Amino acid sequence: MVCLGNICRSPLAEGILKAKVTTDQVLVDSAGTAAYHIGKGPDIRSVQVAKSHGIDISLQRARQFKKTDFDDFDFIFVMDQANFDNVVSLASTKKDKKKVQLILNEISPEMNSEVPDPYYGGEDGFKNVYDMLDIACDSIHKKLSI
Ligand code: 4NP
């Protein structure tokens, strides 16, 4: 799960998908394309909206997406087009490029809809992001049978 800062959207996506996955054979992780927040915990507004749904993301720590993530992960879900472009620019093979998908295409294929960045907005933006990611993660969970 990849966003820009790895403190708002992708920590939620990581927490939501982890809560749905029932096997220990799957590694779910998140990262940001930017280095601004490395080592920090998620934004308190993401922590709170996750908590309101019974999910604790408070122990996550931000990290930056790195080239070797292409070796370690089969699927790379990004939140918006800028994340897509940044991650794809680090891919060195066609196979790796194909791993990168806009997460909302899981529910609206080929629409290229984006998960809006809630960082500069209010709490409602975080609730909206949570709801979008919950539906997308349901779809991923079912599709991958995890
Ligand atoms: P995220 O949100 O990409 O969903 O983690 C953001 C967090 C921080 C900033 C931008 C977006 N920032 O500019 O610091």
Side-chain angles (χ1 to χ4, degrees):
M1 300 300 189
V2 179
C3 63
L4 174 64
N6 193 207
I7 57 166
C8 298
R9 293 166 291 177
S10 59
L12 277 175
E14 176 187 333
I16 292 167
L17 187 59
K18 273 184 174 162
K20 295 182 191 294
V21 169
T22 51
T23 168
D24 59 5
Q25 302 297 305
V26 172
L27 173 64
V28 181
D29 195 12
S30 65
T33 57
Y36 319 133
H37 300 287
I38 292 173
K40 288 192 200 152
D43 187 289
I44 187 68
R45 296 163 295 179
S46 284
V47 172
Q48 277 168 350
V49 72
K51 193 175 170 196
S52 76
H53 291 273
I55 296 174
D56 182 6
I57 63 167
S58 65
L59 298 179
Q60 292 185 31
R61 292 296 174 262
R63 71 173 181 91
Q64 190 170 23
F65 184 85
K66 53 188 190 296
K67 269 184 158 218
T68 54
D69 285 322
F70 284 108
D71 304 323
D72 296 336
F73 295 92
D74 298 313
F75 301 93
I76 298 167
F77 295 108
V78 298
M79 303 295 134
D80 63 31
Q81 191 62 46
N83 308 151
F84 184 90
D85 294 343
N86 285 322
V87 173
V88 163
S89 75
L90 296 174
S92 43
T93 65
K94 268 193 188 159
K95 185 173 169 241
D96 285 351
K97 271 186 195 160
K98 274 183 120 180
K99 292 183 178 184
V100 190
Q101 301 289 341
L102 282 163
I103 192 167
L104 293 185
N105 278 352
E106 294 301 313
I107 41 179
S108 312
E110 297 177 37
M111 290 290 287
N112 296 338
S113 302
E114 301 183 306
V115 181
D117 182 351
Y119 187 63
Y120 294 105
E123 271 176 36
D124 279 357
F126 284 78
K127 286 184 184 158
N128 182 39
V129 164
Y130 184 96
D131 292 343
M132 288 178 170
L133 291 175
D134 192 38
I135 297 168
C137 288
D138 255 342
S139 183
I140 292 166
H141 173 231
K142 289 193 184 110
K143 188 170 95 176
L144 302 181
S145 303
I146 51 175

mmCIF file of all heavy atoms in Angstrom, residues 3-11 36-37 83 117-120, ligand 1:
data_model
loop_
_atom_site.group_PDB
_atom_site.id
_atom_site.type_symbol
_atom_site.label_atom_id
_atom_site.label_comp_id
_atom_site.label_asym_id
_atom_site.label_seq_id
_atom_site.Cartn_x
_atom_site.Cartn_y
_atom_site.Cartn_z
ATOM 1 N N CYS A 3 1.297 5.543 -0.526
ATOM 2 C CA CYS A 3 0.807 6.912 -0.733
ATOM 3 C C CYS A 3 2.007 7.845 -0.736
ATOM 4 O O CYS A 3 3.143 7.401 -0.970
ATOM 5 C CB CYS A 3 -0.245 7.293 0.318
ATOM 6 S SG CYS A 3 0.349 7.325 2.026
ATOM 7 N N LEU A 4 1.793 9.109 -0.482
ATOM 8 C CA LEU A 4 2.904 10.064 -0.527
ATOM 9 C C LEU A 4 3.725 10.035 0.772
ATOM 10 O O LEU A 4 4.928 9.798 0.774
ATOM 11 C CB LEU A 4 2.354 11.470 -0.789
ATOM 12 C CG LEU A 4 3.357 12.625 -0.737
ATOM 13 C CD1 LEU A 4 4.404 12.496 -1.840
ATOM 14 C CD2 LEU A 4 2.625 13.966 -0.887
ATOM 15 N N GLY A 5 3.041 10.267 1.895
ATOM 16 C CA GLY A 5 3.776 10.426 3.155
ATOM 17 C C GLY A 5 3.845 9.192 4.027
ATOM 18 O O GLY A 5 4.610 9.141 4.975
ATOM 19 N N ASN A 6 3.004 8.195 3.715
ATOM 20 C CA ASN A 6 2.860 6.977 4.536
ATOM 21 C C ASN A 6 2.446 7.313 5.973
ATOM 22 O O ASN A 6 2.851 6.630 6.927
ATOM 23 C CB ASN A 6 4.149 6.136 4.528
ATOM 24 C CG ASN A 6 4.003 4.716 5.081
ATOM 25 O OD1 ASN A 6 4.943 4.138 5.584
ATOM 26 N ND2 ASN A 6 2.814 4.148 5.007
ATOM 27 N N ILE A 7 1.626 8.374 6.101
ATOM 28 C CA ILE A 7 1.083 8.652 7.443
ATOM 29 C C ILE A 7 -0.444 8.760 7.445
ATOM 30 O O ILE A 7 -1.045 8.695 8.519
ATOM 31 C CB ILE A 7 1.700 9.915 8.081
ATOM 32 C CG1 ILE A 7 1.499 11.140 7.208
ATOM 33 C CG2 ILE A 7 3.160 9.690 8.445
ATOM 34 C CD1 ILE A 7 1.776 12.453 7.951
ATOM 35 N N CYS A 8 -1.073 8.946 6.282
ATOM 36 C CA CYS A 8 -2.539 9.084 6.266
ATOM 37 C C CYS A 8 -3.232 7.908 5.569
ATOM 38 O O CYS A 8 -3.894 7.093 6.211
ATOM 39 C CB CYS A 8 -2.963 10.384 5.582
ATOM 40 S SG CYS A 8 -2.370 11.874 6.416
ATOM 41 N N ARG A 9 -3.088 7.830 4.229
ATOM 42 C CA ARG A 9 -3.872 6.851 3.460
ATOM 43 C C ARG A 9 -3.313 5.426 3.533
ATOM 44 O O ARG A 9 -4.053 4.485 3.849
ATOM 45 C CB ARG A 9 -3.970 7.309 1.995
ATOM 46 C CG ARG A 9 -4.790 8.565 1.816
ATOM 47 C CD ARG A 9 -4.588 9.178 0.439
ATOM 48 N NE ARG A 9 -3.245 9.732 0.292
ATOM 49 C CZ ARG A 9 -2.760 10.278 -0.818
ATOM 50 N NH1 ARG A 9 -3.518 10.310 -1.901
ATOM 51 N NH2 ARG A 9 -1.543 10.780 -0.845
ATOM 52 N N SER A 10 -2.035 5.260 3.206
ATOM 53 C CA SER A 10 -1.525 3.874 3.129
ATOM 54 C C SER A 10 -1.471 3.160 4.484
ATOM 55 O O SER A 10 -1.680 1.937 4.512
ATOM 56 C CB SER A 10 -0.183 3.804 2.391
ATOM 57 O OG SER A 10 0.801 4.588 3.019
ATOM 58 N N PRO A 11 -1.252 3.855 5.614
ATOM 59 C CA PRO A 11 -1.350 3.129 6.885
ATOM 60 C C PRO A 11 -2.766 2.594 7.123
ATOM 61 O O PRO A 11 -2.945 1.503 7.669
ATOM 62 C CB PRO A 11 -0.985 4.187 7.937
ATOM 63 C CG PRO A 11 -0.183 5.194 7.189
ATOM 64 C CD PRO A 11 -0.771 5.231 5.810
ATOM 65 N N TYR A 36 9.522 12.551 3.770
ATOM 66 C CA TYR A 36 9.235 13.555 4.825
ATOM 67 C C TYR A 36 9.015 12.973 6.220
ATOM 68 O O TYR A 36 9.391 13.581 7.204
ATOM 69 C CB TYR A 36 7.939 14.333 4.563
ATOM 70 C CG TYR A 36 7.617 14.776 3.184
ATOM 71 C CD1 TYR A 36 6.333 14.560 2.663
ATOM 72 C CD2 TYR A 36 8.545 15.468 2.409
ATOM 73 C CE1 TYR A 36 5.987 15.005 1.400
ATOM 74 C CE2 TYR A 36 8.198 15.906 1.143
ATOM 75 C CZ TYR A 36 6.924 15.661 0.645
ATOM 76 O OH TYR A 36 6.587 16.084 -0.601
ATOM 77 N N HIS A 37 8.320 11.836 6.286
ATOM 78 C CA HIS A 37 7.821 11.388 7.590
ATOM 79 C C HIS A 37 8.431 10.068 8.069
ATOM 80 O O HIS A 37 7.859 9.416 8.947
ATOM 81 C CB HIS A 37 6.294 11.260 7.539
ATOM 82 C CG HIS A 37 5.609 12.541 7.212
ATOM 83 N ND1 HIS A 37 5.500 13.584 8.096
ATOM 84 C CD2 HIS A 37 5.044 12.974 6.061
ATOM 85 C CE1 HIS A 37 4.867 14.601 7.523
ATOM 86 N NE2 HIS A 37 4.586 14.258 6.279
ATOM 87 N N ASN A 83 1.453 8.953 -7.043
ATOM 88 C CA ASN A 83 2.096 7.775 -6.441
ATOM 89 C C ASN A 83 2.411 6.753 -7.527
ATOM 90 O O ASN A 83 3.489 6.152 -7.542
ATOM 91 C CB ASN A 83 1.190 7.063 -5.427
ATOM 92 C CG ASN A 83 0.584 7.915 -4.349
ATOM 93 O OD1 ASN A 83 -0.509 7.602 -3.864
ATOM 94 N ND2 ASN A 83 1.257 8.979 -3.949
ATOM 95 N N ASP A 117 -6.091 12.905 -1.030
ATOM 96 C CA ASP A 117 -5.182 13.137 0.085
ATOM 97 C C ASP A 117 -5.923 13.923 1.164
ATOM 98 O O ASP A 117 -6.330 15.065 0.928
ATOM 99 C CB ASP A 117 -3.985 13.933 -0.445
ATOM 100 C CG ASP A 117 -2.946 14.181 0.632
ATOM 101 O OD1 ASP A 117 -3.232 13.894 1.805
ATOM 102 O OD2 ASP A 117 -1.859 14.661 0.279
ATOM 103 N N PRO A 118 -6.131 13.337 2.350
ATOM 104 C CA PRO A 118 -6.933 14.014 3.384
ATOM 105 C C PRO A 118 -6.101 14.914 4.294
ATOM 106 O O PRO A 118 -6.649 15.534 5.208
ATOM 107 C CB PRO A 118 -7.487 12.829 4.188
ATOM 108 C CG PRO A 118 -6.369 11.823 4.138
ATOM 109 C CD PRO A 118 -5.670 12.008 2.811
ATOM 110 N N TYR A 119 -4.789 14.995 4.050
ATOM 111 C CA TYR A 119 -3.854 15.608 5.012
ATOM 112 C C TYR A 119 -4.240 17.029 5.408
ATOM 113 O O TYR A 119 -4.181 17.396 6.586
ATOM 114 C CB TYR A 119 -2.449 15.583 4.411
ATOM 115 C CG TYR A 119 -1.342 16.023 5.336
ATOM 116 C CD1 TYR A 119 -1.054 15.319 6.504
ATOM 117 C CD2 TYR A 119 -0.553 17.132 5.026
ATOM 118 C CE1 TYR A 119 -0.011 15.711 7.339
ATOM 119 C CE2 TYR A 119 0.489 17.521 5.856
ATOM 120 C CZ TYR A 119 0.747 16.812 7.007
ATOM 121 O OH TYR A 119 1.778 17.201 7.818
ATOM 122 N N TYR A 120 -4.641 17.843 4.413
ATOM 123 C CA TYR A 120 -4.916 19.258 4.709
ATOM 124 C C TYR A 120 -6.378 19.532 5.037
ATOM 125 O O TYR A 120 -6.761 20.679 5.241
ATOM 126 C CB TYR A 120 -4.457 20.135 3.539
ATOM 127 C CG TYR A 120 -2.956 20.113 3.372
ATOM 128 C CD1 TYR A 120 -2.363 19.389 2.348
ATOM 129 C CD2 TYR A 120 -2.124 20.781 4.276
ATOM 130 C CE1 TYR A 120 -0.981 19.344 2.215
ATOM 131 C CE2 TYR A 120 -0.746 20.735 4.156
ATOM 132 C CZ TYR A 120 -0.182 20.021 3.121
ATOM 133 O OH TYR A 120 1.184 19.968 3.004
HETATM 134 P P1 4NP B 1 -0.503 10.577 2.797
HETATM 135 O O1 4NP B 1 -0.832 12.091 3.167
HETATM 136 O O2 4NP B 1 0.263 10.602 1.497
HETATM 137 O O3 4NP B 1 -1.843 9.953 2.650
HETATM 138 O O4 4NP B 1 0.321 10.016 3.945
HETATM 139 C C1 4NP B 1 0.125 13.095 3.243
HETATM 140 C C2 4NP B 1 0.883 13.233 4.373
HETATM 141 C C3 4NP B 1 1.801 14.251 4.468
HETATM 142 C C4 4NP B 1 1.956 15.144 3.432
HETATM 143 C C5 4NP B 1 1.199 15.002 2.297
HETATM 144 C C6 4NP B 1 0.286 13.979 2.199
HETATM 145 N N1 4NP B 1 2.880 16.197 3.551
HETATM 146 O O5 4NP B 1 2.932 17.048 2.639
HETATM 147 O O6 4NP B 1 3.622 16.281 4.543
#
